[in-house]
Amino acid sequence: MTPPIPPTSTPPPPSKYVLISIPAPYVLLVTINLPRQMNSLPVEACWEMDLIWRWFDEEPELRVGILTGAGNQAFSAGMDLKERGSNSSSPKIPYPSTGFGGLTRRLGKKPIIAAVNGHAHGGGFELALNSDLVVASHNATFRLPDVLRGTAALMGAFPRICRTFGLQRANLLALTAYTLRAEEAREWGLVMFVVPLEELVAKAVEVAKGIASMSPDSVVVSRSGVREAWETASVERATQLTHDRFGEKLMGGENVKEGLMAFAEKREPKWIASKL
């Protein structure tokens, strides 16, 4: 029998551009719901998503997030170019500090999985680049088409493609608008799993459920440690930052006591919400 999905302790922010659901215990699914425009995001949608991800980080009944796009054609085609064209007299786009979709420059606490269905272009590619894990459908493509439009991927793509792919591949993507297809993206190290489109969300939920079954404290700290190493230049500095920020709280917390006791008693641990 499937255990009941616990309600969240706080209500989610109101949403106009995305759909919110909880497909499994402790798992949040956010679906960009603009399929007629290839799930391209107006500025207002980015602020909406910023609030949702902030709520997700603070909601004790949620541990893992998933982001996907409505329909079969696009995860997200990036910024709403029609909106941008109508505001071309203003050079500055007022995105939240967490970037496009509230995600491309997000640090956050909890992991987010990108379930990429179809095109992840421009800002959509940037959403995937800063996700903690990426699952893609066979028809997924990743592209930075900015050089064709006179724009640039300023919401985090450039350093992330260089760190993830290396200089040559990063320049291929940035300078030629090269289309990276799902299987190649897996070979390059961006995508973890490539699955049929109809299995995409189920696969992402499967991965999320696995993470959600772990100690919430350990997941927060482990994710932070990995990201510190990715974001900073020094291995030692990344180690120091993670230890100083979380070490004492993690090792003195209730979940580590429960995990060690469950191991000794040969039973499944009963985790509580992370207080980190």
Side-chain angles (χ1 to χ4, degrees):
M1 181 177 178
T2 303
I5 296 175
T8 56
S9 61
T10 56
S15 57
K16 173 182 174 183
Y17 299 99
V18 304
L19 303 175
I20 297 174
S21 61
I22 302 177
Y26 309 112
V27 177
L28 174 69
L29 174 62
V30 176
T31 304
I32 303 170
N33 193 32
L34 296 166
R36 292 186 178 181
Q37 60 190 60
M38 304 286 281
N39 294 318
S40 59
L41 295 176
V43 172
E44 185 181 5
C46 295
W47 285 94
E48 176 178 294
M49 292 172 70
D50 171 66
L51 291 177
I52 289 169
W53 297 128
R54 291 179 188 272
W55 167 75
F56 159 70
D57 266 338
E58 297 304 320
E59 169 51 52
E61 295 300 329
L62 296 173
R63 299 178 184 175
V64 186
I66 300 170
L67 176 64
T68 194
N72 301 328
Q73 307 239 332
F75 172 68
S76 173
M79 78 166 76
D80 185 338
L81 291 177
K82 291 182 178 178
E83 178 188 61
R84 181 59 185 148
S86 66
N87 295 324
S88 59
S89 60
S90 175
K92 186 175 182 180
I93 302 176
Y95 287 131
S97 61
T98 49
F100 185 76
L103 181 54
T104 63
R105 299 177 69 184
R106 169 186 179 264
L107 296 176
K109 290 195 302 184
K110 300 173 184 176
I112 294 174
I113 300 169
V116 179
N117 52 314
H119 299 323
H121 293 184
F125 191 0
E126 291 183 286
L127 290 171
L129 283 165
N130 199 37
S131 295
D132 297 289
L133 286 166
V134 180
V135 181
S137 60
H138 288 300
N139 69 326
T141 59
F142 303 85
R143 193 185 194 204
L144 296 176
D146 299 85
V147 288
L148 301 172
R149 309 279 183 257
T151 58
L154 298 176
M155 287 290 106
F158 297 139
R160 300 194 194 289
I161 60 174
C162 200
R163 295 212 172 196
T164 303
F165 306 130
L167 180 64
Q168 296 299 313
R169 287 172 169 173
N171 275 329
L172 179 67
L173 292 166
L175 304 181
T176 73
Y178 180 79
T179 299
L180 183 64
R181 302 192 180 277
E183 285 293 348
E184 191 175 20
R186 185 177 62 81
E187 293 169 5
W188 284 21
L190 173 67
V191 171
M192 197 67 231
F193 303 104
V194 178
V195 298
L197 179 62
E198 61 272 16
E199 299 175 15
L200 177 66
V201 171
K203 182 63 177 179
V205 171
E206 176 191 327
V207 175
K209 287 169 64 178
I211 298 171
S213 71
M214 308 298 175
S215 162
D217 292 342
S218 293
V219 168
V220 168
V221 176
S222 298
R223 173 186 179 272
S224 177
V226 170
R227 291 188 72 89
E228 285 288 0
W230 190 43
E231 298 273 1
T232 61
S234 165
V235 172
E236 175 56 33
R237 180 59 176 157
T239 302
Q240 179 187 12
L241 288 170
T242 303
H243 180 274
D244 290 353
R245 183 181 177 191
F246 290 116
E248 188 173 333
K249 292 179 181 179
L250 173 69
M251 299 310 293
E254 293 300 315
N255 277 322
V256 70
K257 296 175 185 176
E258 169 62 14
L260 295 174
M261 188 178 297
F263 175 79
E265 296 174 357
K266 297 182 171 56
R267 60 172 174 81
E268 291 295 316
K270 298 177 181 178
W271 307 119
I272 64 171
S274 176
K275 295 181 173 61
L276 299 180

